[in-house]
Amino acid sequence: MRNILSILVENQPGVLVRIAGMFSRREFNIDSLSVGVTQSPDYSRITVVVHADEGVIDQMIKQLEKLPDVVAVRRLDDSSSVFRGLTMIKVRADDKDRLDVLKMAELFRAHVIDVQPETLVFEITGEDAKVTAFLELLKPYGTLEVIRTGLIGLERGVHTIYEHCEEREYYGKNLL
């Protein structure tokens, strides 16, 4: 089962290695990993996508929470969160195919970010299913390169990861 964990950490060297190492030691493959600084430069947010059952994920969360640089951990659920990933795609598109490829891109809200005589480069954001569908339609034209970022996500509504900092020593710090 796909699980998406959002981990708020201190923005320090080596934190990502310790987090990834915890997954590696337990022999879990990370399907997606994305890291970025939050609105406070003192903290980063790590989004990890991993496949595991409920009990194993609960155990992982408890172990992550014990790591010294981890401020909070949230499991993001599909029904109460929004997710996005960025993908760049280079596709063959000569004069005879260019218009068809551009029409498909418009349907998927993909943006052209580079135009060359024989290729187009698109940027598309969205959930994996949307991007995969776009990639499938581009196959007959010749997909030359694809690169995807890790998935990122936020809970919908007023809930934030900062609500889960109360029990930790970081609660007194200004996280915003």
Side-chain angles (χ1 to χ4, degrees):
M1 156 164 73
R2 177 178 97 153
N3 293 275
I4 301 165
L5 300 178
S6 184
I7 309 164
L8 184 66
V9 298
E10 289 187 13
N11 190 11
Q12 300 291 325
V15 172
L16 180 58
V17 171
R18 287 188 285 284
I19 300 287
M22 198 217 68
F23 286 91
S24 174
R25 283 188 301 279
R26 282 145 192 86
E27 297 182 358
F28 278 96
N29 185 44
I30 295 173
D31 295 329
S32 171
L33 176 71
S34 184
V35 183
V37 174
T38 66
Q39 64 269 35
S40 168
D42 294 334
Y43 300 94
S44 289
R45 188 123 170 209
I46 300 172
T47 307
V48 179
V49 179
V50 64
H51 281 80
D53 65 34
E54 188 91 17
V56 172
I57 289 298
D58 290 341
Q59 203 57 351
M60 274 188 196
I61 291 170
K62 288 176 185 170
Q63 290 175 7
L64 283 166
E65 289 173 336
K66 291 178 185 177
L67 295 175
D69 298 316
V70 172
V71 178
V73 181
R74 281 296 287 159
R75 178 198 244 152
L76 300 179
D77 147 316
D78 286 335
S79 64
S80 62
S81 303
V82 290
F83 305 103
R84 292 291 180 269
L86 170 69
T87 303
M88 291 175 61
I89 306 160
K90 184 188 298 184
V91 64
R92 287 190 196 281
D94 57 19
D95 290 339
K96 72 178 180 67
D97 294 330
R98 190 172 301 261
L99 191 57
D100 291 337
V101 173
L102 288 169
K103 284 180 184 176
M104 277 190 281
E106 187 177 344
L107 289 171
F108 282 85
R109 295 186 184 151
H111 302 282
V112 177
I113 57 173
D114 185 63
V115 177
Q116 296 297 315
E118 296 179 16
T119 62
L120 293 170
V121 176
F122 294 104
E123 165 188 279
I124 183 170
T125 59
E127 296 234 17
D128 285 342
K130 172 188 172 183
V131 174
T132 300
F134 184 50
L135 286 168
E136 284 299 313
L137 287 175
L138 292 176
K139 270 186 184 177
Y141 298 96
T143 305
L144 300 173
E145 289 186 277
V146 176
I147 183 135
R148 288 181 167 189
T149 63
L151 197 66
I152 58 172
L154 290 174
E155 288 181 276
R156 289 185 165 105
V158 297
H159 298 290
T160 70
I161 196 166
Y162 302 106
E163 295 168 4
H164 307 283
C165 299
E166 295 177 35
E167 301 161 10
R168 309 277 313 221
E169 61 186 74
Y170 302 98
Y171 185 71
K173 290 186 181 180
N174 182 5
L175 298 175
L176 301 175

